[in-house]
């Protein structure tokens, strides 16, 4: 199954950033502290708790194997920091950040595929 991983991650980010998700990524973004936008009352698209927990499991595997790339996904998808600002903060080329994020999205897609996980949102984001 071909998944739209960026859209899937946008929804996961909305879920993980919500107070009701039960997961906490606040300690991860310490290096991006100056870039974090103030808390907004806006509502982001979110995924179900089941989907969020499945993706979070893959994110945990990523954190063990590639912690730097994990932080990129957390900064971009959970905290909504634009790739350009991430690149500037890390003093790296924006193109390299984009490529790194795409590679890590591929890892997550592979992780979900290997687990043969069917997500609730698979139907709505095809």
């Amino acid at each position: 199954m071909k998944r739209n991983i960026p859209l899937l991650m946008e929804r996961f980010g909305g879920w993980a950033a919500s107070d009701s998700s039960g997961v906490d990524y606040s300690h991860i973004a310490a290096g991006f502290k100056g870039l974090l936008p103030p808390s907004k009352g806006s509502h982001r698209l979110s995924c179900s708790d089941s989907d969020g927990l499945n993706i979070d499991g893959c994110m945990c595997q990523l954190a063990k194997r590639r912690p730097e790339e994990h932080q990129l996904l957390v900064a971009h998808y959970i905290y909504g920091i634009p790739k350009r600002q991430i690149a500037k903060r890390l003093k790296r080329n924006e193109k390299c950040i984009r490529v790194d994020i795409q590679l890590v999205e591929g890892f997550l897609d592979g992780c979900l595929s290997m687990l043969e996980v069917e997500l609730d949102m698979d139907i709505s984001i095809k």
Side-chain angles (χ1 to χ4, degrees), residues 60-73:
C60 288
Q61 290 301 313
L62 176 63
K64 289 179 191 175
R65 290 170 172 76
R66 307 295 299 249
E68 297 83 16
E69 286 84 353
H70 178 261
Q71 287 184 349
L72 291 177
L73 288 186

Side-chain angles (χ1 to χ4, degrees), residues 1-6 8 106 109 113 121-123 125-126:
M1 169 187 306
K2 178 86 170 123
R3 288 187 167 117
N4 183 336
I5 297 298
L8 182 139
D109 192 22
S113 294
M121 66 179 139
D122 281 342
I123 296 167
I125 64 172
K126 278 189 175 183

Side-chain angles (χ1 to χ4, degrees), residues 89-107:
R89 177 66 176 222
L90 297 176
K91 296 181 171 109
R92 292 183 55 203
N93 185 312
E94 182 182 351
K95 183 177 179 182
C96 292
I97 296 297
R98 289 181 183 279
V99 167
D100 286 350
I101 288 176
Q102 285 178 336
L103 289 171
V104 179
E105 289 170 349
F107 171 88

Side-chain angles (χ1 to χ4, degrees), residues 27 39 108-109:
H27 63 285
S39 297
L108 291 175
D109 192 22

